[in-house]
Amino acid sequence: MTEPAARRIRAGAVAKATRAELDDLGVSPDSNASAAAAMRLAKIMDSSQDPKEVAAAARELRQAMHVARAMAPPKDRGDKIDELSARRPRHTA
């Protein structure tokens, strides 16, 4: 019996979007296992032709990204009051 040929894993649109979100979160796949798993799952989704495999990878990717988002450092994005005060014209006397 012969072994199946190794499948080539490629990065496509899902991997690109996953990488962009991880970069925005400030979570690196090099130092975070959940982020690394997310990148691998995204590449599997991009490479697979089997709908069942894609569905399973999508479920696991969603879970890995949930964990990565929870581990991301908080961002100081301000709030609505900060946004309004930034738009308010400055009056000088």
Side-chain angles (χ1 to χ4, degrees), residues 77-90:
R77 296 185 186 221
D79 59 9
K80 196 66 169 171
I81 300 298
D82 293 335
E83 181 184 324
L84 291 172
S85 63
R87 287 192 288 173
R88 183 178 171 205
R90 304 287 180 231

Side-chain angles (χ1 to χ4, degrees), residues 22-41:
L22 290 171
D23 289 345
D24 183 55
L25 290 170
V27 178
S28 171
D30 297 330
S31 60
N32 184 293
S34 293
M39 287 303 304
R40 177 73 176 170
L41 289 162

Side-chain angles (χ1 to χ4, degrees), residues 38-77:
M39 287 303 304
R40 177 73 176 170
L41 289 162
K43 290 175 184 176
I44 289 171
M45 286 181 65
D46 285 333
S47 302
S48 181
Q49 299 296 318
D50 180 15
K52 289 180 182 179
E53 185 178 24
V54 172
R59 277 191 308 275
E60 294 302 318
L61 174 60
R62 184 175 60 238
Q63 181 62 33
M65 288 302 293
H66 178 72
V67 172
R69 287 183 200 107
M71 297 176 75
K75 289 188 175 181
D76 183 22
R77 296 185 186 221

